[in-house]
Amino acid sequence: MINFTVGPVQMDEETRELGKEQIPYFRTPEFSSIMKENEKLLCNFFDAPENSRVIFMTGSGTASMEGGIMNFFNKDDKVIVVNGGSFGHRLVQLCEIHEIPFTEIKLDYGTPLTKENLAQFENVGYTGFLVQLCETSTGVLYDMELIGDFCNRNGIFLFVDAVSGFMADKFSMKKMHVNAAITGSQKALALPPSMSFTVLDKKAIERCNIINVKNLYFNYPTYLKDGERGQTPFTPAVGTLLQLNAKLKRIEETGGIENQNKLAKARADYFRNAIKDLPFALFSKGKDSSNCVTALCPTKSGVNAHKIFEIIKDEYGIWICPNGGDMAEKVFRVGHIGSISKEEINTLIEAFKDLVKRGIL
Amino acid sequence: MINFTVGPVQMDEETRELGKEQIPYFRTPEFSSIMKENEKLLCNFFDAPENSRVIFMTGSGTASMEGGIMNFFNKDDKVIVVNGGSFGHRLVQLCEIHEIPFTEIKLDYGTPLTKENLAQFENVGYTGFLVQLCETSTGVLYDMELIGDFCNRNGIFLFVDAVSGFMADKFSMKKMHVNAAITGSQKALALPPSMSFTVLDKKAIERCNIINVKNLYFNYPTYLKDGERGQTPFTPAVGTLLQLNAKLKRIEETGGIENQNKLAKARADYFRNAIKDLPFALFSKGKDSSNCVTALCPTKSGVNAHKIFEIIKDEYGIWICPNGGDMAEKVFRVGHIGSISKEEINTLIEAFKDLVKRGIL
């Protein structure tokens, strides 16, 4: 099977080889020093301010979304939530569950956030801002410089879900005034699913220490304290963390994050150019699109997007990424993260062309 | 390195080979059917009553300890907590954090729970009972038939942390009147750390549906609902779940859980017999000891247990398992779970003998 979903994505050979190794005991100085290195490299790759820290959470990206909301905000806050897709909607849900006062900016799915959307929120006492870097369900890349400037100007704490956008799209905590941001192991890092990572600046560290959430597994102050000696409070996915270490070093040795951004952009551009004559509409406009994923709507009447996912899986041995909820029958997605070759992209394009020939697409 | 810790433990060749494979996309009927099979086999191996279910949690064993406490109990409960070591203490902490009214049975570390400990709790309105099967920090195996009968007689909900005891020691939800029990991927199942599993009987399912905890990542009703179609609400450690499936089938084909109990007992007995003449005291009495792990106190004056762990690691290439907290300098442990050969046990014994020769032990 060839995998064009947005996670788990295709792992490279080096990561796979490590997956076969025995997993070492981890309460040792040897593992601690690997973890300290992981923390340093992740901070570098997020372009985080000095003295930033990382929470290594065993759990999905949602675990770190919820962990962040529990640790950075409380009932005295008033936050803005951008809801432009399934993951924006999840941020709304989390604010509701944890009773964080919020105002939602509800966008038509597939459309970007604009200056106009933010105007009404200037100087009216908001304290937090929650947004995706890339809304994975629609492929929209939000204008993080616009958002960062707005938050900086208004003294607002900015928490970014960069789970799928990190490495694919330009991202800098320093330049975009981000206080905390997340990614997940099974996205562009192309490791097995199991871990998510939150980078915290000084303000985020202060917030979670003050809030000191009433939860053991999500208690960030404990993670920060144990992290000082390169450890986690509970047994983490040790194998994934070793694969992370090797992967971060390979990234560093091959041009760093800038080069990763370029490679993702090259894959996305190549794909988007190759499908120009196929019966698809782009769900988000090119200039607002993440390099991580392309969301497509089949344009021929009567074509069901989920059915296309099934046929491509069962008859061509390729996974594209189905959408859920309201979008399920109209939209599917093609991911551009992980270890994907030009030949594999060509194989997918040929499959689409064959479906057109067969009158299915 | 040879690994005698209690997790992560040594994986068998089949599990390692699967660790090298690409990880498939999982929102498919193919993965769902694997998950339904995982659920069925885990219920069988826990000897759970009909219509029991499994929560597949991406997270450490502690995540499922906390998940259970959040989902099965609330402020109207009155629970008994057995605290005979670090993990019993963690149950106490979790009751405190979540404001579950509780009474602690504090045991001297290394000693079993007796009928006398329970006498005062008969017919006085307790609603829940929290205990480990095996207290991993001391190696004590609790008398689950005694506890199960007590809970059954008193109509008390019994939640068992069988994280390290499952498969090593005899355990039956039906015979021991257990309502919910946990294990973890990196213990006797010998998979990579990343997942923990809770088996819920009918009463446990009812409780979590009524309580409907205000948390997204730990909301068990959502897991149960998605589980009906073989899915999880958030991306799980898909690779580990595939390794789990293959492992559970191998267990089934080779004499089931009964045979796994026998193998663990054989390893534990062989080890305990072989160290008889070495300068160690058993931290728990033989008859109260789990097959999962042996906790040992060096008897020669001035010998530091943590130092022995370090020397064995650095000079002999073997991990034994250090203890934490108050026990760190007095106790270390040798695990009997995972893929361990008689030759490897002999190598460890030779290392101990060599330390005696060198005057270190």
Side-chain angles (χ1 to χ4, degrees):
Chain A
M1 297 289 297
I2 308 177
N3 183 353
F4 282 96
T5 69
V6 283
V9 301
Q10 291 183 168
M11 305 183 285
D12 60 26
E13 271 308 301
E14 294 89 338
T15 295
R16 290 177 61 182
E17 281 301 324
L18 287 174
K20 194 174 174 271
E21 296 299 310
Q22 290 287 7
I23 292 169
Y25 184 61
F26 66 106
R27 299 289 190 204
T28 61
E30 293 76 12
F31 186 69
S32 290
S33 83
I34 287 169
M35 287 297 283
K36 301 285 273 182
E37 196 171 39
N38 282 344
E39 183 166 37
K40 191 175 145 243
L41 288 168
L42 278 173
C43 284
N44 286 350
F45 292 167
F46 275 75
D47 197 24
E50 245 188 288
N51 299 320
S52 291
R53 297 287 310 277
V54 179
I55 302 281
F56 294 89
M57 174 63 61
T58 307
S60 74
T62 299
S64 287
M65 288 166 74
E66 185 157 27
I69 285 174
M70 291 167 74
N71 278 275
F72 303 139
F73 305 104
N74 64 19
K75 289 178 190 180
D76 300 329
D77 280 294
K78 199 172 137 193
V79 309
I80 298 162
V81 188
V82 178
N83 175 2
S86 319
F87 292 92
H89 175 70
R90 186 163 296 173
L91 292 171
V92 169
Q93 260 188 297
L94 287 166
C95 286
E96 285 170 348
I97 289 171
H98 295 286
E99 300 178 20
I100 312 297
F102 71 96
T103 305
E104 186 178 352
I105 302 182
K106 195 146 177 17
L107 301 170
D108 287 335
Y109 286 7
T111 65
L113 181 88
T114 63
K115 221 165 62 179
E116 290 68 38
N117 295 127
L118 295 178
Q120 61 178 302
F121 298 103
E122 299 274 0
N123 300 314
V124 283
Y126 281 89
T127 61
F129 198 106
L130 308 180
V131 67
Q132 271 72 38
L133 170 58
C134 155
E135 167 54 66
T136 322
S137 67
T138 65
V140 167
L141 176 74
Y142 291 119
D143 185 342
M144 283 307 305
E145 287 178 21
L146 172 75
I147 295 169
D149 285 344
F150 166 81
C151 288
N152 186 43
R153 193 162 62 233
N154 285 276
I156 289 175
F157 184 97
L158 175 54
F159 178 36
V160 178
D161 165 5
V163 168
S164 62
F166 171 64
M167 276 174 62
D169 298 307
K170 282 209 175 86
F171 186 67
S172 159
M173 284 178 67
K174 276 194 253 177
K175 289 187 196 128
M176 298 165 178
H177 307 287
V178 175
N179 299 103
I182 320 170
T183 193
S185 56
Q186 80 277 20
K187 301 292 182 176
L189 287 164
L191 309 172
S194 57
M195 297 288 310
S196 47
F197 314 109
T198 309
V199 182
L200 292 79
D201 80 348
K202 201 181 137 210
K203 208 166 163 186
I205 294 167
E206 277 168 18
R207 284 223 177 199
C208 72
N209 278 315
I210 291 166
I211 288 177
N212 196 18
V213 67
K214 284 182 76 166
N215 194 287
L216 190 65
Y217 199 69
F218 283 127
N219 191 272
Y220 283 9
T222 319
Y223 283 79
L224 291 173
K225 187 159 183 295
D226 286 8
E228 283 170 17
R229 52 183 179 96
Q231 289 288 327
T232 51
F234 317 111
T235 306
V238 177
T240 306
L241 292 170
L242 294 174
Q243 289 168 311
L244 173 70
N245 188 256
K247 180 79 183 192
L248 293 174
K249 285 179 181 166
R250 284 201 298 286
I251 293 171
E252 199 183 32
E253 285 158 12
T254 56
I257 284 295
E258 203 176 338
N259 189 46
Q260 294 296 319
N261 287 173
K262 261 189 216 157
L263 292 171
K265 184 169 172 9
R267 284 189 297 265
D269 287 350
Y270 181 82
F271 173 78
R272 288 167 192 166
N273 193 52
I275 56 156
K276 269 190 176 152
D277 298 327
L278 290 170
F280 294 128
L282 291 171
F283 192 63
S284 67
K285 288 204 185 106
K287 70 173 184 54
D288 307 316
S289 293
S290 164
N291 296 323
C292 158
V293 60
T294 303
L296 295 171
C297 309
T299 47
K300 188 175 154 185
S301 118
V303 175
N304 180 311
H306 201 270
K307 189 77 198 161
I308 299 297
F309 158 74
E310 284 169 19
I311 296 173
I312 294 259
K313 168 169 75 71
D314 297 334
E315 300 179 25
Y316 297 86
I318 302 173
W319 285 298
I320 53 176
C321 200
N323 271 53
D326 291 348
M327 292 189 274
E329 304 197 340
K330 291 178 208 149
V331 185
F332 67 77
R333 291 165 295 162
V334 174
H336 312 302
I337 52 178
S339 199
I340 297 170
S341 67
K342 194 178 266 191
E343 290 67 39
E344 288 170 324
I345 302 178
N346 290 340
T347 303
L348 175 60
I349 305 290
E350 287 311 311
F352 285 145
K353 286 185 179 164
D354 197 50
L355 287 182
V356 173
K357 247 191 231 157
R358 292 170 60 192
I360 293 170
L361 194 67
Chain B
M1 297 290 296
I2 307 177
N3 183 354
F4 283 95
T5 69
V6 283
V9 301
Q10 292 183 167
M11 304 182 286
D12 60 27
E13 272 307 302
E14 294 88 338
T15 295
R16 291 177 62 183
E17 281 301 325
L18 287 174
K20 194 174 174 269
E21 296 299 310
Q22 290 287 7
I23 292 169
Y25 184 60
F26 65 107
R27 299 290 189 201
T28 60
E30 292 78 11
F31 186 69
S32 290
S33 83
I34 287 169
M35 287 297 282
K36 301 285 273 181
E37 196 171 39
N38 282 344
E39 184 167 35
K40 190 174 145 243
L41 288 168
L42 278 174
C43 285
N44 287 350
F45 292 167
F46 275 75
D47 196 25
E50 244 188 288
N51 297 320
S52 291
R53 297 287 309 277
V54 178
I55 302 281
F56 294 89
M57 173 64 60
T58 307
S60 74
T62 299
S64 287
M65 289 167 73
E66 185 158 25
I69 285 174
M70 292 166 74
N71 279 275
F72 304 139
F73 305 105
N74 65 19
K75 288 177 191 180
D76 300 328
D77 279 294
K78 199 172 138 194
V79 309
I80 298 162
V81 189
V82 178
N83 175 1
S86 319
F87 291 93
H89 175 70
R90 187 163 294 172
L91 291 171
V92 169
Q93 260 188 297
L94 286 167
C95 286
E96 285 170 349
I97 289 171
H98 295 286
E99 300 177 21
I100 313 296
F102 71 96
T103 304
E104 185 178 351
I105 302 182
K106 196 147 177 16
L107 300 171
D108 287 336
Y109 286 7
T111 65
L113 181 87
T114 63
K115 221 164 64 178
E116 289 68 39
N117 294 127
L118 295 179
Q120 63 178 300
F121 297 104
E122 298 275 0
N123 300 314
V124 284
Y126 281 88
T127 59
F129 198 105
L130 308 180
V131 67
Q132 271 71 39
L133 169 60
C134 155
E135 167 54 66
T136 322
S137 67
T138 66
V140 167
L141 176 73
Y142 292 119
D143 184 341
M144 284 306 305
E145 286 177 22
L146 172 75
I147 296 169
D149 285 344
F150 166 81
C151 289
N152 187 43
R153 194 162 63 232
N154 284 275
I156 289 176
F157 185 97
L158 176 54
F159 178 37
V160 177
D161 165 5
V163 168
S164 63
F166 172 64
M167 274 172 64
D169 298 307
K170 283 209 174 85
F171 185 67
S172 159
M173 285 179 66
K174 276 194 252 177
K175 290 186 196 129
M176 298 167 177
H177 306 289
V178 175
N179 299 103
I182 320 171
T183 192
S185 57
Q186 79 277 19
K187 301 292 182 176
L189 287 164
L191 310 172
S194 57
M195 297 289 308
S196 47
F197 314 110
T198 309
V199 182
L200 293 79
D201 80 347
K202 202 181 137 210
K203 208 166 160 185
I205 294 167
E206 277 167 18
R207 284 224 177 197
C208 73
N209 278 316
I210 290 165
I211 288 176
N212 196 17
V213 68
K214 285 182 76 166
N215 193 287
L216 189 66
Y217 199 69
F218 284 127
N219 190 271
Y220 283 9
T222 320
Y223 282 79
L224 291 173
K225 187 159 183 296
D226 286 8
E228 284 170 16
R229 52 182 179 95
Q231 289 287 327
T232 52
F234 317 112
T235 306
V238 177
T240 305
L241 292 171
L242 294 174
Q243 288 168 311
L244 172 70
N245 187 256
K247 180 79 183 190
L248 292 175
K249 284 180 183 166
R250 284 201 297 286
I251 293 171
E252 200 183 31
E253 286 157 11
T254 56
I257 283 295
E258 203 176 337
N259 189 48
Q260 295 296 318
N261 286 174
K262 262 189 215 157
L263 292 171
K265 183 168 173 11
R267 284 189 297 266
D269 287 349
Y270 181 81
F271 174 78
R272 288 168 194 168
N273 192 53
I275 56 156
K276 268 190 176 153
D277 298 327
L278 290 170
F280 294 128
L282 292 171
F283 191 63
S284 68
K285 289 206 184 102
K287 68 171 185 54
D288 308 316
S289 293
S290 164
N291 297 323
C292 158
V293 62
T294 303
L296 295 171
C297 310
T299 48
K300 189 175 154 185
S301 119
V303 175
N304 181 311
H306 200 271
K307 190 77 197 160
I308 300 297
F309 158 74
E310 284 169 19
I311 296 172
I312 295 259
K313 168 169 75 70
D314 295 335
E315 299 180 25
Y316 297 86
I318 301 174
W319 286 297
I320 53 176
C321 199
N323 271 54
D326 291 348
M327 293 189 272
E329 304 197 342
K330 291 178 208 149
V331 185
F332 67 77
R333 290 164 295 162
V334 174
H336 311 302
I337 53 178
S339 200
I340 297 170
S341 67
K342 194 178 266 192
E343 291 66 40
E344 287 170 324
I345 301 178
N346 290 339
T347 303
L348 175 61
I349 305 289
E350 287 311 311
F352 285 146
K353 287 185 178 165
D354 196 50
L355 287 182
V356 173
K357 248 191 232 157
R358 293 169 60 190
I360 293 170
L361 194 67

